[in-house]
């Protein structure tokens, strides 16, 4: 397998998604105006940054601030594969705005991070945007990632401000039911619930043992079964329930129910009449 690079851009956030594989030389010293947050999927990638030689092994997260010069190459014959998010610094600053009593700007203390949760959230955020998942899912994973990257001591005071958790969680649940056919985003959900968007996931998960976007997907899949049983074409079902397309709905449906859309609809619309 030779070198390859796949690039996408998420229209809502402007985040650039890069999935790449390199053997040997990868790229000359350069910099980006955005934050780089990536995870090494396979192999070992080496790069010079901050006057050091950095080795990022499989499962490790690498992070760079805007305009940090770096190069890249593979020291091992099989090369390395990585996923990376290019995050605009103004967008990131706006996301953190108003969260803390003092102005906050993300500082990358180390170019390497071995926190497995950060690695999982980078991958989950990448997949959610790449697969054009519902807006609430994309927002949720990105917020969880941003929260994890911020200094933990800045969140401690805010933790104590969460009150009436069951009431907020029930209100969120109501809103999700009301927005079955709307591509709800996290900011709108937070405004409707009257809660801080960074704690929406935590409050809901504490009450219902799943994140709001997971609950909404399950609601939509359950509704998809009802619509498919009514004989509505799968493409129309997917579109009405905010899936990117029929194949997107089909992938989720198969994962949850073990059946394709065609198999389920065929079984439920060709019911044998009972004989006496």
């Amino acid at each position: 397998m030779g070198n390859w690079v796949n690039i996408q851009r998420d229209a809502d956030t402007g985040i650039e998604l890069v999935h790449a594989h390199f053997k040997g030389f990868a790229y000359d010293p350069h910099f980006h105006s955005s934050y780089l947050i990536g995870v090494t999927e396979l192999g070992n990638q080496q790069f010079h940054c901050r006057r050091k030689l950095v080795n990022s092994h499989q499962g490790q997260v690498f992070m760079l601030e805007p305009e940090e010069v770096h190069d890249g190459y593979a020291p091992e014959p099989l090369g390395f594969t990585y996923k990376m998010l290019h995050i605009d610094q103004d967008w990131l600053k706006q996301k953190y705005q108003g969260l803390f009593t003092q102005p906050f700007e993300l500082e990358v203390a180390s170019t390497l991070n071995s926190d497995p949760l950060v690695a999982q959230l980078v991958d989950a955020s990448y997949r959610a945007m790449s697969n054009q998942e519902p807006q609430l899912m994309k927002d949720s994973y990105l917020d969880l990632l941003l929260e994890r990257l911020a200094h933990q001591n800045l969140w401690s005071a805010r933790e104590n401000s969460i009150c009436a958790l069951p009431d907020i969680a029930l209100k969120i649940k109501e809103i999700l039911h009301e927005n079955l056919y709307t591509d709800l985003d996290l900011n709108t959900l937070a405004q409707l619930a009257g809660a801080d968007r960074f704690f929406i996931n935590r409050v809901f998960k504490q009450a219902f043992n799943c994140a709001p976007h997971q609950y909404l997907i399950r609601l939509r899949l359950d509704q998809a079964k009802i619509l498919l049983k009514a004989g509505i074409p799968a493409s129309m079902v997917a579109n009405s329930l905010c899936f990117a397309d029929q194949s997107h709905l089909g992938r989720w449906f198969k994962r949850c129910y073990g059946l394709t859309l065609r198999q389920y609809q065929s079984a439920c619309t060709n019911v044998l009449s009972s004989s006496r």
Side-chain angles (χ1 to χ4, degrees), residues 32-89:
H32 301 272
S33 60
S34 53
Y35 282 91
L36 304 188
I37 303 175
V39 60
T40 303
E41 287 188 309
L42 294 169
N44 173 26
Q45 63 169 314
Q46 284 187 344
F47 58 93
H48 292 89
C49 186
R50 301 183 182 183
R51 299 182 180 181
K52 293 180 181 178
L53 176 62
V54 181
N55 283 275
S56 179
H57 297 277
Q58 182 174 339
Q60 285 188 301
V61 173
F62 55 95
M63 302 188 296
L64 284 81
E65 292 183 4
E67 298 191 12
E68 286 203 295
V69 177
H70 61 285
D71 56 10
Y73 58 95
E76 298 169 1
L78 292 178
F80 65 89
T81 307
Y82 68 85
K83 282 192 177 115
M84 183 161 60
L85 311 178
H86 287 238
I87 303 178
D88 179 77
Q89 53 186 318

Side-chain angles (χ1 to χ4, degrees), residues 4-10 15-20 37-39 41 81-86 118-133 137-138 141-142 145:
W4 50 263
V5 180
N6 295 325
I7 298 178
Q8 298 172 267
R9 184 178 179 275
D10 181 63
I15 293 174
E16 191 175 291
L17 313 172
V18 181
H19 193 196
I37 303 175
V39 60
E41 287 188 309
T81 307
Y82 68 85
K83 282 192 177 115
M84 183 161 60
L85 311 178
H86 287 238
V118 174
Q120 290 169 20
L121 290 171
V122 171
D123 184 68
S125 298
Y126 182 101
R127 290 177 184 273
M129 288 184 283
S130 178
N131 294 336
Q132 299 179 55
E133 298 291 1
M137 180 181 290
K138 294 192 287 185
Y141 280 130
L142 283 169
L145 175 60

Side-chain angles (χ1 to χ4, degrees), residues 271-276:
V271 181
L272 296 173
S273 58
S274 58
S275 56
R276 296 196 178 192

Side-chain angles (χ1 to χ4, degrees), residues 134-153:
Q135 192 62 44
L136 184 60
M137 180 181 290
K138 294 192 287 185
D139 289 346
S140 297
Y141 280 130
L142 283 169
D143 266 19
L144 288 169
L145 175 60
L146 298 188
E147 179 182 348
R148 191 71 179 180
L149 292 175
H151 302 305
Q152 293 301 310
N153 61 331

Side-chain angles (χ1 to χ4, degrees), residues 244-261:
D245 52 31
Q246 181 177 330
S247 62
H248 184 208
L249 169 60
R251 289 194 298 272
W252 275 106
F253 201 89
K254 183 75 180 290
R255 281 170 60 178
C256 287
Y257 303 125
L259 293 168
T260 67
L261 298 174

